[in-house]
Amino acid sequence: MSDSRLAEAVELSFSRHETFAPRFGWLHKAYMQVKDDSQIFHREDAPVLLGVGKNMVNSMRYWSKAFKLTREHPHADPSYRSYIASPTWRAGWLLDEAGADPYLEDTGSLWLLHWWLVSSEPQAKCWAPSWYVMFNLAPFSRVTSAEMTSVITRRVHEGFSEKDWPATESITRDVDCLIKMYALDHEFNPLSPGSFEDLLMSPFRELGLLEGQGKGRQRTWRFTQGTRSNLPAPVLVYACLDYASRFSANAGSITLARLANETGAPGRAFRMREPDLATAIENLVNDHPDLNLVEALGQRSLTFSRNPQLLAWDILDEHYGNIRNRDGFPTPNEWAERYPGLNTTTSKRAHKKLPQQIEELELIEENA
């Protein structure tokens, strides 16, 4: 039986990371280059400019897109056949020298990037389907790496036509990369390129999401659950409101049960149960005039008094020191003018007379 949920949420993209998990400094380096040169990943001197090997250039290109920090699109010159890349507004907001956290020194920024990686947005599907399956659709029990490959393969076969199925080896490489990316106690593999460096240089290990037990082929992996002491409440609330905005652009509410348990929700991405999620956001919600936690019919809900996407960005931006208010920091509209290739529909809608707040929301969604 076909399951359309995965097809609606992800783009089929496997093993594009060249076996390399994202490393310290990669995303900032890629952003600083791509903001001035949309063809950077195709240049012969890209390894020199980015300070990495040739295969790592391809990996940096993939991770920049997967974290939704770049968007690839056709060149203005139709004779240029390769897709070029433009940085998204959120990339500038986070990684610019005047941005929120260009060197990812705040662990909250890693949680934010993790959310962007494994979530699917109306204007930007998830480019890491293996990651999406393991965080959103896989069981919570311990699994071996072979069982991870099996789960992902089954979900892909259920959701896509046979002609689109990837080779099993591609999914296996995804699983190996996912483990290198998150596991605190990953074993060094002398046959895997960059395995030792990944152990030292993958910042996402700080999140503590994955732990192993045993050794060798029988080693099992478990996604940890519970309180996330290094996950800032504003980042978690941002993710909750960001998820709620998938269903409504107006004031409203969403139950904590949905936020904790639904496929694609923050509880799945961060592996937090409903009580842990409630405890983590309670203080911020109680102190915020546009948020509230209410209980009715035995269910607790997060209520918001205005557009959840705009509110999410206000809360996140305030946490990082109001980046958008700094002199010279571009608005989403200015960013769209600077990088028109980000979304071909933006220019078509630019002539519509929309209320300022709705226009701002569309620009954030399209260019973030």
Side-chain angles (χ1 to χ4, degrees), residues 83-316:
Y83 270 37
I84 58 176
S86 293
T88 56
W89 178 82
R90 79 178 70 185
W93 176 86
L94 179 64
L95 296 174
D96 198 83
E97 290 291 350
D101 189 11
Y103 301 103
L104 304 180
E105 298 170 298
D106 185 342
T107 306
S109 302
L110 299 175
W111 284 108
L112 179 63
L113 284 164
H114 170 72
W115 169 249
W116 288 344
L117 175 68
V118 301
S119 61
S120 180
E121 304 174 11
Q123 302 294 333
K125 289 185 178 182
C126 173
W127 279 94
S130 295
W131 277 251
Y132 186 89
V133 169
M134 289 313 302
F135 280 97
N136 289 296
L137 300 174
F140 289 93
S141 59
R142 286 189 175 273
V143 290
T144 64
S145 58
E147 288 168 338
M148 287 193 201
T149 298
S150 178
V151 168
I152 296 167
T153 300
R154 176 171 59 83
R155 289 291 186 173
V156 171
H157 287 188
E158 289 173 349
F160 293 91
S161 302
E162 185 174 356
K163 63 181 178 62
D164 297 322
W165 293 352
T168 301
E169 291 78 8
S170 295
I171 295 178
T172 298
R173 285 193 289 269
D174 272 3
V175 169
D176 290 343
C177 186
L178 185 152
I179 292 171
K180 285 193 294 186
M181 181 172 171
Y182 292 105
L184 280 170
D185 49 357
H186 178 56
E187 293 178 307
F188 165 58
N189 179 5
L191 300 179
S192 176
S195 179
F196 182 69
E197 289 84 356
D198 282 330
L199 288 179
L200 300 177
M201 301 183 69
S202 178
F204 293 89
R205 297 168 68 237
E206 295 180 17
L207 304 186
L209 279 166
L210 192 63
E211 65 178 17
Q213 185 176 40
K215 292 185 177 182
R217 292 184 178 180
Q218 298 306 312
R219 193 170 209 214
T220 59
W221 301 98
R222 183 180 71 88
F223 289 96
T224 62
Q225 298 183 63
T227 302
R228 302 296 184 188
S229 59
N230 60 355
L231 171 56
V235 174
L236 178 56
V237 170
Y238 162 85
C240 292
L241 292 170
D242 184 38
Y243 182 70
S245 73
R246 312 282 196 270
F247 310 100
S248 175
N250 303 311
S253 66
I254 185 169
T255 66
L256 295 190
R258 291 182 63 190
L259 290 172
N261 301 311
E262 279 189 351
T263 298
R268 287 279 188 166
F270 301 144
R271 290 300 175 112
M272 297 178 70
R273 298 183 180 92
E274 183 178 342
D276 300 315
L277 194 151
T279 300
I281 68 174
E282 192 168 22
N283 288 339
L284 189 154
V285 170
N286 289 340
D287 292 339
H288 200 286
D290 292 309
L291 298 173
N292 199 7
L293 284 173
V294 299
E295 186 166 351
L297 301 177
Q299 281 196 327
R300 298 187 77 184
S301 297
L302 173 66
T303 68
F304 37 92
S305 62
R306 56 189 180 91
N307 184 295
Q309 182 65 222
L310 293 175
L311 181 56
W313 273 103
D314 287 347
I315 291 171
L316 187 65

